[in-house]
Every structure is written in structure tokens, then in C-alpha cells.
Amino acid sequence: MPKLTRRGATRAARPSPTAFNRRLIAPMVLGSVLNPINSSMIAVALVPIGSAFGAPPSRTVWLVSALYLATAVGQPVVGRLVDMYGPRRLYLLGTALVGTAGLLGALAPSLGALIAARVLLGFGTSAAYPAAMQLTRREAERTGRDSPAGVLTALAVANQTVAVVGPALGGFLIGVGGWRAVFTVNVPLSAACLVLGALRLPRTQRPSGNRRDVDLPGMALFAVTLVALMLFLMGPRLDRWYLPVLCAVAAVAFAVRELRVPEPFVDLRVLGGNVPLVVTYLRQSLGYTTSYAYLYGFTQWLEEGRGLDASTAGLVLLPLSASALAVSTLTGRREAVRSKLVVGSLVQITGCVTLLLVGADSAVWVLLVAGAVMGIPQGLIGLANQTALYRQAEPARIASAAGLLRTFMYLGALGASAADAGFFAHRADTAGLHDLALFMLAGSVLLLVTTLADRSLSTLTPRKTEITENTRNTRKA
């Protein structure tokens, strides 16, 4: 892991040698919300963009899938680079790319160009979250105090709040400046991240290794595996049989490669021996499949099945934001991972059942209640999985492990996008919404089963000894 220079360490430790450096929180939080804000704002922009370019939902869904596909690949790749080269460089490079992508999207002359801008956004937003997780771990090592609950809660609350406020913000921006405004807003956000990052993030020494230490073949095989899988999930048809075959071949080659090289991109030996972490990744995917299927599917139904405009649809989702924020804030200080996952999955099941009762003539208050119910699991599941990962992952690879957590979240999002495209092939009608609700219900039940079967969640504890030892080594260095 790269070491802090004297100048960078002084900045990072300015408040107290035994307290978390609060100057890091602003760039960490602002950078980490770039992805969820772009993920969620687009939900209310899909219909107006489709109208502008004459594209049906089965094509505009690529605006969602392109970002998640790029981020699913980019998060663990950039996370590994953060582990090797330090968070500052990757943070600044990624947030600069976000601003560039925002400009390209605002000027895009076609749907294809807009999709390309979303790909750039996906890669650009891949750096901040792994960087934030590594900075949190470093501060714990520097201070010798394993008390990240407040910081992890701030990250989770910010991400969840922005994700659910995003549709309302997107609706407001569309009302003021048209759908292109949801891309233009990335320019000032990028500028703010660049300024905060340059001023507050600690500098690191250049790593002692060389470029050969970066497992580029492993990263490439990982990307091929994931892209082939995602492309098939977006359109699972018999005539696309070659995609799962390519995915399987690339996956085998990836596994062989990672088991042989001394510095693998993903250490499969460690990951394979850490079953609780693997199950956490699975729960992340299951939880967010339902969450994003609701966010995108319900929003499209509000506009096409219920007949609301984009701004009103965004406002209807505000209770989702309010309940998620309230739950995360009230429960964030207590880890209680297993309890949060059990309650979250049970409420998610309830929300899915509620959707089966919704129709085109449902009163607005019913739609508001449905959103409030679905916000509760959003405030619990993501925070619980993030805390579990922090406890279960190898500290030296915390950034790449956090990147993989996001990858599995985007796997769920891509599965949700595929479900939305399948159930809303021509139009987001009520029959399609009910079929989507059954799909979400199945995933929520599976989430509950995997949580109840995982006894390791009851034994998660802080790694005080490990942190103390790491702190001694860091101070000696």
C-alpha cells in the first residue's frame, strides 16, 4: 500500500493524531455520490429522451445499462489501482472524466452519442467510492481506533439519499432546462470534487513496484467475462448463445490466470476462503436488483401507465427518499448487520406485494405510501452490506473489495434493467408492472433466505488487534 508523504500526512492528520480527519469527509462523500446521482436522475429522463430521438424503452434502457456496465467493470479495476497507487491520483482523474462526460452528454447529437457519454460517466464515477473506503481504513490504521461507523454511515446515507432524491432532482432539471440538464449538472459537480480533492486528499509516494505489477491481462479477462454476461442479460435469446459461451471461456481463463500470478487483480485464493464475503456480494446483488427494478420500472410506469409528467413522477418518489434517509440516520450508528438485513428484506417483500395492488386508477396517496415502504429497505440493506464488507475484507485490498461490492450492486442494477426491458417491451403498462413486482418478490425472498442462513453475520466484530498492529507498522515506516 502506498505511504503518505510528510506533507500529505500532515494535512490528513491536522485535527488530531487520534481522531478521524474530518477534512476528508467532504471530498469522500461528494465524490462517492456522483454515481448514484447519475444513476437515479436518468430514471425520469428516459421518456423525454426517447421522445426526442424516437426511441422505444427497449433502446433507451441502454442509457441505464451502459453506465452500469462501465461501472461494474471499472469499480474493481480502479479499486485495485487505488490499493496500489493511492486514492488521490485516481480520485482526481475519475472526477475530471465525469465533467468531460457531462459536457459530451449535454452536446450529444444522437442516442448513440448519449450512450457513449454514459459509458464515460461510468468509468469516471468508479474511483471515488473505492478511494473513500481506503481512506477510511487508513485513518483507522493511523489513529489506531476502529470506529468507522459514523463515516461509513455518512457515505451510505449520502449515496442512498442522492439515489432516491435523484429522480426529483432530475425532474426539476428537466423542467428548467430540458433533459440535457441532467448531463450538464455533472460539470459543476466535477469541478467541486476536483477542488476539494486537490486541497484535502493526502498525497502518496510513488509505489516501489512497476507497471508489471498491474495485472492487465487479468483485468482484461475480467472485463470480457462481465461484458459478455451483461450483454446476454440485456437480451437473453437463443440466437445470442455465443455470449454465455464467451463468458464461460473468459471466466475460466481469468480463474487460471489469477491463481498463477503473484500479484493477481482479484486474489481468488483469499476470496474463495472468505465465504462470508462472497455471500455479502450475493446479498448486495439481490437487494439492488429489487431496488433498481422498482426505481426504474415504477418511475416509467408513473409516466406512461399512470400518465404523470416527469416532474410530478419525481415528486411522487420523494417519500422513498425521506424514509430511506430517516432509517439510515436512525440506525447508522449501530452496526446490527443481520437485523438490518432481515428487517430490510421483510419490508422489501411487503413493498413488492403492495405493487401488485397498484393500478392506473390508484390514488396518489397510495403511490406515495408504496414509495415510503420501499425506501425502508434502501436505508437498511446497502448500509448493512457495506459494514459487513468493511469487517470481512482483507485490509490491504479494501479498495478493490469495495469496488467488487459496487460491481455486484451494478449486476443487480443490470438485471433490473433487463427485467424492465423485458416486462415493458413496448410500453410501461400496469400488467408489466405487476409481472415486474413478482420478479422483485422472488429476489426479495431469496435475500431473506440467504440472510437467515448466514450465521457469520452474528459474529462480526471490529479488528482491533489487526488495526493496532497495522498502526505500529505504519508509524515505524
Side-chain angles (χ1 to χ4, degrees):
M1 183 182 294
K3 300 175 182 177
L4 297 179
T5 61
R6 182 174 299 176
R7 178 183 176 187
T10 301
R11 285 183 180 176
R14 182 177 296 175
S16 167
T18 59
F20 190 95
N21 183 2
R22 295 185 176 274
R23 285 172 52 84
L24 300 177
I25 294 177
M28 286 168 57
V29 170
L30 184 59
S32 70
V33 303
L34 291 176
N35 188 274
I37 197 171
N38 279 287
S39 303
S40 56
M41 283 193 303
I42 199 69
V44 293
L46 293 176
V47 172
I49 289 173
S51 299
F53 293 112
S58 57
R59 290 184 59 198
T60 57
V61 73
W62 278 101
L63 292 169
V64 178
S65 303
L67 182 138
Y68 287 131
L69 184 57
T71 315
V73 174
Q75 285 273 354
V77 170
V78 177
R80 181 61 182 142
L81 296 177
V82 169
D83 282 329
M84 298 179 69
Y85 295 95
R88 191 175 191 272
R89 295 183 185 91
L90 277 303
Y91 179 97
L92 295 177
L93 180 61
T95 51
L97 189 58
V98 169
T100 303
L103 283 175
L104 292 176
L107 301 174
S110 66
L111 182 62
L114 209 58
I115 291 172
R118 293 282 290 179
V119 171
L120 288 180
L121 272 175
F123 285 119
T125 58
S126 292
Y129 181 71
M133 290 295 283
Q134 193 193 78
L135 285 166
T136 301
R137 169 59 65 177
R138 283 187 175 188
E139 284 296 285
E141 294 176 353
R142 180 186 65 81
T143 61
R145 298 176 60 189
D146 185 51
S147 54
V151 178
L152 294 179
T153 299
L155 288 173
V157 168
N159 279 261
Q160 293 161 359
T161 302
V162 166
V164 290
V165 169
L169 175 60
F172 171 76
L173 291 173
I174 291 170
V176 172
W179 61 262
R180 293 184 185 273
V182 302
F183 288 87
T184 309
V185 72
N186 285 289
V187 177
L189 289 175
S190 170
C193 287
L194 287 171
V195 171
L196 286 171
L199 292 176
R200 298 188 177 186
L201 295 187
R203 297 179 183 274
T204 55
Q205 294 177 350
R206 292 189 177 274
S208 57
N210 53 50
R211 292 183 181 179
R212 288 178 296 180
D213 294 331
V214 180
D215 183 17
L216 294 178
M219 292 178 179
L221 288 169
F222 175 82
V224 171
T225 301
L226 209 54
V227 170
L229 174 62
M230 300 306 173
L231 291 177
F232 181 74
L233 289 177
M234 286 306 301
R237 302 192 307 267
L238 289 177
D239 61 345
R240 308 182 82 180
W241 59 268
Y242 57 90
L243 289 173
V245 172
L246 176 60
C247 174
V249 171
V252 171
F254 173 72
V256 171
R257 162 85 188 175
E258 300 305 276
L259 290 172
R260 290 182 176 179
V261 295
E263 290 292 334
F265 163 50
V266 177
D267 196 334
L268 296 181
R269 296 183 187 88
V270 173
L271 186 61
N274 194 343
V275 175
L277 180 59
V278 174
V279 177
T280 293
Y281 288 144
L282 174 61
R283 280 194 301 266
Q284 183 82 340
S285 183
L286 290 172
Y288 278 94
T289 297
T290 296
S291 176
Y292 280 106
Y294 177 84
L295 178 62
Y296 293 120
F298 188 63
T299 303
Q300 288 186 73
W301 176 82
L302 286 174
E303 295 182 50
E304 293 189 331
R306 186 63 173 74
L308 303 180
D309 58 47
S311 298
T312 305
L315 292 175
V316 170
L317 292 179
L318 280 179
L320 183 78
S321 169
S323 60
L325 176 60
V327 169
S328 294
T329 303
L330 292 173
T331 65
R333 289 286 179 177
R334 295 186 60 207
E335 294 195 353
V337 172
R338 189 174 189 274
S339 299
K340 289 179 181 178
L341 289 170
V342 170
V343 173
S345 56
L346 286 173
V347 177
Q348 200 169 71
I349 289 171
T350 304
C352 294
V353 173
T354 302
L355 281 187
L356 293 172
L357 307 177
V358 167
D361 57 350
S362 295
V364 173
W365 70 266
V366 174
L367 307 179
L368 296 173
V369 170
V373 172
M374 290 302 290
I376 294 173
Q378 287 199 18
L380 293 173
I381 295 172
L383 179 57
N385 285 330
Q386 179 180 261
T387 303
L389 174 128
Y390 187 84
R391 298 299 179 205
Q392 295 165 341
E394 180 187 358
R397 287 178 173 260
I398 187 67
S400 51
L404 277 174
L405 185 70
R406 282 286 180 97
T407 292
F408 277 86
M409 182 178 81
Y410 301 133
L411 283 173
L414 283 164
S417 298
D420 288 343
F423 295 123
F424 298 150
H426 304 290
R427 188 173 181 274
D429 56 17
T430 300
L433 178 67
H434 290 168
D435 290 339
L436 182 64
L438 291 173
F439 168 80
M440 294 160 56
L441 179 60
S444 300
V445 170
L446 188 55
L447 172 63
L448 177 62
V449 170
T450 57
T451 300
L452 293 175
D454 188 358
R455 297 181 180 179
S456 69
L457 294 175
S458 302
T459 61
L460 290 178
T461 56
R463 299 178 172 182
K464 295 180 179 179
T465 303
E466 179 181 7
I467 288 178
T468 302
E469 183 63 28
N470 287 336
T471 304
R472 291 195 192 102
N473 294 337
T474 301
R475 288 173 178 172
K476 286 179 182 179

